[in-house]
Amino acid sequence: MIKMVKRLGLPETGRRREVLLEMLDERHIEYHIETGRGLHNIIIPARVPAEQRTIFCAHYDMFPGGSRGYVDNAGALAVLLTLLGDGLPPEVEVLFSDGEEMAAAGSKFYVSKHEPPNLAINLDVIGPAGVIYCECSSAVPDPLCCFLEHATLPAHFPPSDALIFCSKSPTISFSTGPDGGFSHAVWQLMAMMHGGPLDNRLDQIDTGTLNSMVVLLRRLMAEGFTQVSHRSA
């Protein structure tokens, strides 16, 4: 996956979008681009009724000013590309959102155009070595929260695409970073995101951590958590 991250590490959002689309084409993955408000969301649609789908979301734009965005957010893109290459169950829809660094403009645009999903899973800042951190919205049911409590460490993330989805759907957010608790890790992560000095360094991406994120998402799907209805009646 590190080769994917390196390939996606480009200092301009439009160019990253072109390379991301090339990588989808190389894997023969069907997608469509939803445009509006100056945004270009890339969607690999689910194959079930809209209210039954689970969204895996990762933003592909980077902080303006020349950041290559290896940590924020090429690592997450590589994780989802890996899962797409393996094949996803019919209920899973993938959203590569634009404009997250502009007050989550892409996810706001998406939510305005689509029925709320059964479940939203957001990946942001994936790849720094250490552990997987997770935050569940209050609407995520107990069995799923319990599963994640045994596989991740708790966190309280700054606003991102997840904040937009959680107003409509149960939402799970993932990041990775140094062990020792999120209040400790966040200070190190700040230098790796939003165009920070370490966001331009490929050596901040750990292959083992990327693989752990892939394994966890595969477990979520295998356990049926992406199929079960998580929305209130």
Side-chain angles (χ1 to χ4, degrees):
M1 272 185 285
I2 198 71
K3 291 182 179 178
M4 294 188 215
V5 176
K6 183 176 181 180
R7 186 174 171 186
L8 289 160
L10 298 160
E12 197 274 314
T13 295
R15 180 60 184 140
R16 176 179 280 183
R17 179 170 59 247
E18 292 174 0
V19 171
L20 179 56
L21 294 175
E22 289 172 5
M23 296 170 81
L24 291 171
D25 289 337
E26 290 163 5
R27 290 160 176 77
H28 307 289
I29 296 167
E30 296 185 4
Y31 59 85
H32 67 266
I33 304 172
E34 195 167 71
T35 61
R37 306 177 188 174
L39 301 161
H40 301 76
N41 285 336
I42 303 167
I43 302 168
I44 297 88
R47 305 183 302 280
V48 297
E51 69 277 5
Q52 298 177 17
R53 76 198 193 287
T54 288
I55 289 179
F56 287 178
C57 176
H59 75 87
Y60 70 83
D61 63 308
M62 70 282 293
F63 201 79
S67 171
R68 289 188 174 272
Y70 288 124
V71 175
D72 188 14
N73 198 31
L77 303 180
V79 166
L80 292 186
L81 284 167
T82 299
L83 292 173
L84 284 164
D86 295 340
L88 291 173
E91 73 274 6
V92 174
E93 179 161 302
V94 173
L95 168 64
F96 294 114
S97 64
D98 194 3
E100 191 273 345
E101 303 290 5
M102 299 184 295
S107 57
K108 290 176 182 175
F109 180 56
Y110 177 89
V111 167
S112 74
K113 302 278 285 186
H114 298 269
E115 183 169 341
N118 167 52
L119 176 69
I121 297 176
N122 188 59
L123 281 66
D124 200 353
V125 186
I126 303 293
V131 298
I132 299 173
Y133 289 99
C134 175
E135 181 177 14
C136 295
S137 71
S138 59
V140 175
D142 289 343
L144 181 48
C145 288
C146 184
F147 172 86
L148 292 170
E149 284 174 2
H150 288 85
T152 66
L153 292 180
H156 182 64
F157 299 123
S160 69
D161 285 329
L163 184 64
I164 308 307
F165 284 107
C166 73
S167 65
K168 301 284 187 178
S169 303
T171 301
I172 301 167
S173 305
F174 290 115
S175 289
T176 72
D179 201 350
F182 190 71
S183 60
H184 164 74
V186 69
W187 296 107
Q188 297 181 55
L189 291 174
M190 289 301 293
M192 303 180 192
M193 56 193 288
H194 294 166
L198 299 183
D199 201 14
N200 282 309
R201 288 179 46 178
L202 188 61
D203 63 2
Q204 296 303 304
I205 299 294
D206 177 68
T207 300
T209 302
L210 293 178
N211 288 333
S212 295
M213 192 73 249
V214 169
V215 168
L216 178 58
L217 292 174
R218 284 176 178 157
R219 285 182 60 198
L220 277 175
M221 292 183 285
E223 294 285 339
F225 286 119
T226 56
Q227 299 173 359
V228 177
S229 177
H230 303 288
R231 294 171 62 185
S232 300

